[in-house]
Amino acid sequence: MADTISIVDNRTGKKYELPIQDGTIRAMDLRQIKEKPDDFGLMTYDPAFMNTANCRSAITYIDGDKGILLYRGYPIEQLAEDSNFLETAYLILFGELPTAAQQQNWNREITLHTMLHENIKKLMEGFQYDAHPMAIFLSIVGAMSGFYPDAKDIFNKESRLKQTHRAIAKVPSIAAWAFRHSIGRPYVYPDNDLSFTGNFLNMLFKMTELKYQPNAVLERALDVLFILHADHEQNCSTTTMRTIGSAHADPYSSIAGAAGALYGPLHGGANEAVLRMLHEIGSVSKVPEFIKKVKSGEAGNRLMGFGHRVYKSYDPRAKVIKRIADIVFTVTGKNPLLEIALELERIALQDDYFVSRKLYPNVDFYSGLIYQAMGFPVEMFPVLFAIPRTAGWIAQWEEMLLDPEQKIARPRQIYTGPVQRDYVPREKRA
Ligand code: ACO
């Protein structure tokens, strides 16, 4: 049997045979289907890309029904157990796990690029003390376009690699300084003797001690959280990254845009929203009442941290995170909001409203509780997400740039406005 589909246009009686490849038909193949020869041709209408593949990608695989997530073929559970963030970032970017020599070189390159230009300090200082750190983060990342004009050389492999080192190395520094700015503490310079996450904790929390010693449990927990957040195929921010990149903008401009998408409460802002929701609920006894409100759709209430466009079962990242939470709480003490979260999950997983809609906890349901226990204010949560996701964004951006089938992203529309009409002089308007 040929892998084709036959379509009969009942307007004309004409029959078309379209190829099927990878379970997909090409939307452009529909264009030949016309009622009259000068018609534009048939289009597909797919708001929010619910059923449209925007690219071919070899980076991340998700099976939303089975709850499977693979980076370059490796299961997320194995990477969370055995890998570290920098190794996983290398895997995502270059397609294979690094050899010992490649890993050493990669770690060295990242470590060498952790410093920020001194003028970035002045930019940071321009923000009010209460500016959201994600607003600072995405502004500074965008500003890097001005600091590194060589980043515009996007078809030069060496230049792309340099920007990759810079971006991955500098995002923790930007994030930490945004945090220090918001609490009025002096910025801390990177300590290159420490690991990627150890140094990040240093830049966040160092006080007057000469040498900051990160807590090994928290350092590893944060590293695992970074592994879990490093990529997630064609999500909202990654699609933004690819879209901006498709106009051949430099990577910093694209990352700034992607970070803007991640800032939204339906995406990376969700764990911040989860914490606010748990605070609002206040106690375990109020959980049933809150669930009732969510189900009635009252005031647009949603159970934040539940549901996912792709996962229609338990998000595999949420399973790992639940385990990390227990480990982190042995160091930090239990987050008092945990009981409310557990009760919400327990009730929701038995309730027909959530079960029938296949709404399960996603990555954000428990991550906020861990971040809060580690001493991060909720405003830092999307920033903590953006740090590892920078690796995924860059990998997806580069894949898009090198894909000969890609062009500037430019969807079509179905026009619903008035037909052409003549300008009405002001005195004649009703
Ligand atoms: N609480 C209550 N009801 C929900 C929820 C929720 N969290 N999520 C979806 N629903 C309901 C919808 O009301 C809808 O019900 P209906 O069919 O009766 O109208 C149905 O489930 C389908 O929902 P959609 O909005 O169509 O699903 P979509 O795929 O567009 O949304 C999303 C996915 C945005 C993640 C959604 O589930 C949501 O808003 N969740 C809360 C926010 C959140 O946790 N976001 C983090 C996502 S993970 C990430 O970005 C890292």
Side-chain angles (χ1 to χ4, degrees):
M1 275 288 258
D3 275 350
T4 61
I5 185 168
S6 298
I7 297 179
V8 178
D9 185 347
N10 292 326
R11 299 171 303 178
T12 58
K14 266 196 183 167
K15 190 174 164 191
Y16 302 84
E17 192 170 309
L18 308 185
I20 299 176
Q21 194 189 354
D22 301 319
T24 309
I25 60 162
R26 285 183 178 258
M28 278 305 284
D29 285 347
L30 298 173
R31 191 68 78 71
Q32 59 183 303
I33 303 178
K34 297 179 179 189
E35 203 178 355
K36 296 186 235 79
D38 57 350
D39 276 356
F40 183 76
L42 205 63
M43 289 196 301
T44 53
Y45 177 57
D46 189 13
F49 305 117
M50 296 286 288
N51 194 37
T52 295
N54 176 40
C55 60
R56 303 174 73 84
S57 181
I59 301 171
T60 293
Y61 173 81
I62 303 175
D63 183 328
D65 290 325
K66 296 198 186 114
I68 294 173
L69 170 59
L70 313 174
Y71 294 158
R72 302 281 188 185
Y74 294 104
I76 194 69
E77 295 82 357
Q78 290 180 21
L79 293 168
E81 194 63 38
D82 298 321
S83 184
N84 59 62
F85 170 68
L86 277 189
E87 183 184 69
T88 298
Y90 184 100
L91 169 72
I92 287 173
L93 282 152
F94 305 109
E96 294 296 337
L97 288 166
T99 62
Q102 285 167 332
Q103 174 89 62
Q104 205 182 11
N105 186 42
W106 172 243
N107 289 4
R108 200 190 66 241
E109 286 294 347
I110 299 297
T111 308
L112 285 178
H113 285 92
T114 49
M115 293 280 277
L116 297 176
H117 193 288
E118 276 299 288
N119 285 353
I120 283 185
K121 252 189 191 170
K122 294 184 195 149
L123 273 175
M124 292 245 176
E125 281 158 7
F127 282 92
Q128 294 278 67
Y129 74 93
D130 57 355
H132 196 294
M134 193 62 172
I136 301 180
F137 180 86
L138 66 91
S139 307
I140 301 292
V141 173
M144 279 168 62
S145 165
F147 284 87
Y148 304 109
D150 58 321
K152 292 190 177 10
D153 198 5
I154 54 169
F155 288 108
N156 176 337
K157 191 175 173 191
E158 260 173 54
S159 170
R160 281 200 309 273
L161 184 60
K162 184 132 196 206
Q163 313 320 322
T164 302
H165 292 147
R166 280 180 178 148
I168 292 176
K170 290 183 200 306
V171 284
S173 311
I174 298 171
W177 284 17
F179 170 66
R180 302 283 291 202
H181 183 80
S182 68
I183 54 170
R185 287 196 186 144
Y187 309 143
V188 177
Y189 286 87
D191 179 342
N192 288 352
D193 295 338
L194 297 174
S195 72
F196 186 80
T197 37
N199 170 49
F200 180 48
L201 290 168
N202 158 65
M203 292 187 290
L204 288 160
F205 299 125
K206 183 169 185 283
M207 297 301 282
T208 55
E209 65 272 41
L210 287 179
K211 180 106 185 145
Y212 180 82
Q213 293 296 346
N215 177 294
V217 174
L218 301 185
E219 184 182 357
R220 174 65 190 157
L222 197 55
D223 207 60
V224 175
L225 284 163
F226 281 0
I227 292 172
L228 300 180
H229 286 89
D231 193 53
H232 210 231
E233 52 118 307
Q234 309 313 315
N235 55 82
C236 180
S237 57
T238 300
T239 303
T240 308
M241 179 86 194
R242 281 179 173 260
T243 302
I244 300 176
S246 78
H248 293 176
D250 68 81
Y252 303 113
S253 305
S254 305
I255 297 173
L262 194 67
Y263 195 179
L266 295 187
H267 190 12
N271 50 9
E272 182 175 346
V274 170
L275 261 273
R276 293 192 198 286
M277 174 187 77
L278 295 176
H279 271 295
E280 188 196 316
I281 297 171
S283 73
V284 170
S285 63
K286 300 235 174 78
V287 167
E289 191 189 319
F290 183 79
I291 295 264
K292 224 160 119 188
K293 258 197 340 203
V294 168
K295 283 162 58 176
S296 71
E298 196 183 307
N301 267 318
R302 282 202 162 192
L303 186 47
M304 299 312 286
F306 259 67
H308 198 276
R309 173 61 59 78
V310 178
Y311 292 118
K312 299 303 168 199
S313 68
Y314 216 100
D315 182 336
R317 301 168 298 174
K319 276 189 200 150
V320 178
I321 283 186
K322 227 173 149 179
R323 242 190 9 252
I324 299 175
D326 290 333
I327 300 167
V328 167
F329 295 155
T330 60
V331 176
T332 62
K334 212 182 225 176
N335 188 325
L337 297 173
L338 177 68
E339 298 304 331
I340 302 175
L342 288 170
E343 182 65 0
L344 268 178
E345 181 183 338
R346 192 186 66 79
I347 298 190
L349 292 184
Q350 291 172 3
D351 190 303
D352 187 54
Y353 175 95
F354 298 93
V355 174
S356 64
R357 288 172 178 76
K358 299 190 174 168
L359 300 171
Y360 294 88
N362 61 46
V363 68
D364 286 323
F365 193 64
Y366 288 103
S367 62
L369 291 171
I370 302 178
Y371 292 145
Q372 193 177 52
M374 288 173 85
F376 292 106
V378 287
E379 292 77 16
M380 276 299 285
F381 296 176
V383 182
L384 293 167
F385 193 155
I387 293 170
R389 185 53 61 86
T390 298
W393 287 332
I394 294 174
Q396 299 271 353
W397 164 75
E398 186 159 45
E399 190 180 63
M400 179 275 305
L401 276 184
L402 301 181
D403 179 347
E405 279 206 292
Q406 290 293 336
K407 286 169 179 275
I408 185 167
R410 198 340 184 152
R412 295 280 174 179
Q413 65 166 10
I414 300 170
Y415 178 67
T416 60
V419 291
Q420 185 172 332
R421 50 186 175 165
D422 289 328
Y423 181 78
V424 183
R426 205 158 291 138
E427 62 281 7
K428 291 201 177 148
R429 292 178 207 162

